[in-house]
Amino acid sequence: MIDDLDLGFDEQERGEKGKHRRSAMRKRDGRSGGGRGKTVLALLLALVLLGGIGGGAFYGFDRIQGYFVTPDYDGTGTGEVTVEIKQGALIADMADALVAADVVKSAKAFIEAAEANSRSKNIQPGTYKLRKQMSGESAVTAMLDLKNRIVNGVTIPEGRTAKNVYQLLSKETKIPVKDFEAAAKDPLALGVPDWWFKRTDGKKVKPSIEGFLYPDTYEIPPKATAETILTLMVENFLAVTGEMQFADRVQKERGGISPYEALIVASLAQAEAGNKDDLGKVARVAYNRVFGEFPCNCLEMDVTVNYYLELTGQDTKTSAQMTEEELLDTKNPYSRKLRGLVPTPINNPGKQAMEGAMDPPDGKWLFFVAIDKQGHSAFAETIEEHERNKVKAKEAGVI
């Protein structure tokens, strides 16, 4: 310990000389301490340790050096290790994952190397094949080299039902569909907070994973299970809706409906809108029909009937193919004539559909019909106006 060293001064002499020395230094540079003083003190401490404690000098110097030099490995490392960088990971998160796998010696080494490399912002989430004990600079360079990234991506398009998502995932991962179905039975276990399953219309909610499997391209980790993949998708949903402030804005701006009810509307818009430009307007129609002046306060959307057909293992149909019995089946909980919103979302909507349900444009529209081959719709407030729009659709060869 430094306090135990005898440097040739008694306590009083050290105190007096130290006082005069500090006073002289203040007069000389016009400051009272600061960064230079700390540096000088650190150097003096290092010299004392080197010159005054013999065999322990290098041990003491190494400890002090750690305060000024970033701990780092040299070179490109040895062996091989796989490291998973999770969705939404920041540079600091990546650094922690690399330290845990002994790829880099310290988080600081990787962070400093990333800050010095302007391309580091291009490092993507996924699984990387790296070496152990690499320098921070080598680790950054390796992660920017695409050949070191283990690509096992699966793209989930917007508007797919959970059943369809399981089929896509099974095809790409070889995990049986039944494993995904079993994992999906408990959405809460997959990370969906229980507050999501609340409604303000008095209808009872049976938790369903439908709506929470966010459509995106996913890097599937090695040895992934159905549970880990669905959990990854739920985490992505929560991250996206959290960034959008979806739940908060819906509760503040949508007249008392719950975030879950808005998610249902987003799924309806995703299924019905033929063009992304119309997602918000279709959401507005759904709100107007259920909560507005529409006589039955029902959706009267064929897509809900199709969802029920798929849910029960039947073939889906076009509107023209649907029978009167199918359209008006009172046993169907997704019936066109059901008062209010359907029990669950009918697919997994994308960000733009959720934005449309969260903040739809103002309008009193109750009807819409596609009027061109690009999927744009014409919207109407009255049945008479709607019939005129249908004529335009027929002239365009859409219906």
Side-chain angles (χ1 to χ4, degrees):
M1 296 291 290
I2 295 172
D3 290 344
D4 296 330
L5 295 176
D6 183 359
L7 302 183
F9 300 99
D10 62 27
E11 289 296 321
Q12 183 177 357
E13 186 176 0
R14 280 202 300 269
E16 289 298 317
K17 290 189 176 183
K19 188 186 301 180
H20 291 309
R21 187 180 297 112
R22 288 193 295 274
S23 176
M25 287 176 68
R26 282 196 293 269
K27 290 177 181 177
R28 192 163 53 245
D29 64 15
R31 296 179 302 174
S32 58
R36 184 181 299 176
K38 292 180 181 178
T39 303
V40 171
L41 176 61
L43 290 173
L44 286 171
L45 288 172
L47 289 170
V48 169
L49 285 168
L50 284 170
I53 57 178
F58 290 103
Y59 172 73
F61 180 71
D62 183 63
R63 291 190 67 180
I64 288 179
Q65 187 184 42
Y67 290 102
F68 304 98
V69 179
T70 300
D72 199 1
Y73 291 126
D74 290 324
T76 58
T78 59
E80 189 176 281
V81 63
T82 57
V83 179
E84 181 189 355
I85 301 300
K86 293 187 176 181
Q87 195 82 22
L90 304 175
I91 289 294
D93 301 319
M94 297 179 190
D96 290 340
L98 295 174
V99 170
D102 196 27
V103 172
V104 296
K105 193 170 186 178
S106 68
K108 189 178 178 184
F110 180 78
I111 292 170
E112 288 181 352
E115 289 174 345
N117 190 325
S118 61
R119 294 180 57 235
S120 64
K121 62 181 178 295
N122 296 324
I123 298 176
Q124 299 294 314
T127 303
Y128 290 83
K129 189 183 294 183
L130 302 170
R131 294 181 176 182
K132 287 197 170 187
Q133 300 189 354
M134 307 175 77
S135 69
E137 183 181 358
S138 295
V140 170
T141 301
M143 295 178 76
L144 288 169
D145 189 340
L146 293 180
K147 72 181 182 183
N148 293 319
R149 190 171 173 211
I150 302 172
V151 179
N152 185 20
V154 180
T155 299
I156 306 300
E158 298 169 341
R160 297 297 179 96
T161 64
K163 288 191 72 168
N164 190 264
V165 170
Y166 305 152
Q167 292 165 2
L168 288 172
L169 291 172
S170 180
K171 181 180 178 181
E172 296 294 332
T173 65
K174 310 308 177 188
I175 299 172
V177 168
K178 62 182 178 61
D179 288 7
F180 290 103
E181 291 173 339
K185 286 182 179 178
D186 188 354
L188 299 179
L190 295 175
V192 182
D194 60 357
W195 59 261
W196 265 100
F197 299 109
K198 307 290 184 186
R199 297 179 67 138
T200 58
D201 61 4
K203 292 186 178 182
K204 187 177 180 181
V205 180
K206 181 180 179 182
S208 166
I209 199 63
E210 198 75 78
F212 298 98
L213 302 178
Y214 187 73
D216 204 344
T217 296
Y218 292 89
E219 295 289 340
I220 306 300
K223 299 181 181 180
T225 65
E227 288 85 356
T228 59
I229 295 171
L230 296 186
T231 298
L232 184 66
M233 298 180 75
V234 170
E235 287 175 351
N236 200 9
F237 170 87
L238 296 175
V240 171
T241 53
E243 185 179 346
M244 294 168 58
Q245 298 184 313
F246 181 85
D248 289 340
R249 288 193 59 187
V250 165
Q251 290 178 107
K252 289 177 183 177
E253 300 172 18
R254 294 277 61 81
I257 75 163
S258 72
Y260 191 61
E261 290 164 320
L263 185 62
I264 292 172
V265 170
S267 74
L268 296 168
Q270 189 76 75
E272 284 282 7
N275 189 287
K276 290 185 177 182
D277 296 340
D278 293 334
L279 286 165
K281 286 186 174 183
V282 174
R284 174 58 71 186
V285 169
Y287 286 131
N288 289 345
R289 287 185 179 182
V290 171
F291 302 110
E293 302 297 323
F294 206 51
C296 66
N297 289 125
C298 57
L299 287 167
E300 285 200 345
M301 293 181 178
D302 296 346
V303 290
T304 65
V305 177
N306 253 336
Y307 179 71
Y308 180 70
L309 292 175
E310 183 179 346
L311 199 64
T312 53
Q314 302 177 64
D315 293 334
T316 57
K317 301 179 178 182
T318 64
S319 297
Q321 292 172 329
M322 289 183 184
T323 65
E324 192 76 9
E325 183 181 359
E326 288 169 333
L327 290 171
L328 303 177
D329 182 8
T330 56
K331 295 180 182 179
N332 176 3
Y334 295 85
S335 169
R336 293 175 84 254
K337 293 293 186 181
L338 177 78
R339 189 176 183 83
L341 290 172
V342 290
T344 69
I346 62 169
N347 57 47
N348 294 278
K351 184 177 181 180
Q352 286 179 286
M354 289 193 286
E355 287 174 339
M358 176 181 73
D359 186 23
D362 290 332
K364 297 181 180 180
W365 312 294
L366 292 172
F367 309 97
F368 60 96
V369 62
I371 56 169
D372 62 32
K373 296 293 178 67
Q374 288 73 45
H376 292 98
S377 292
F379 292 80
E381 296 181 17
T382 65
I383 191 66
E384 293 78 17
E385 185 182 359
H386 180 54
E387 289 300 327
R388 291 194 294 271
N389 289 335
K390 286 170 68 175
V391 172
K392 293 178 184 177
K394 288 178 182 177
E395 290 173 351
V398 178
I399 60 174

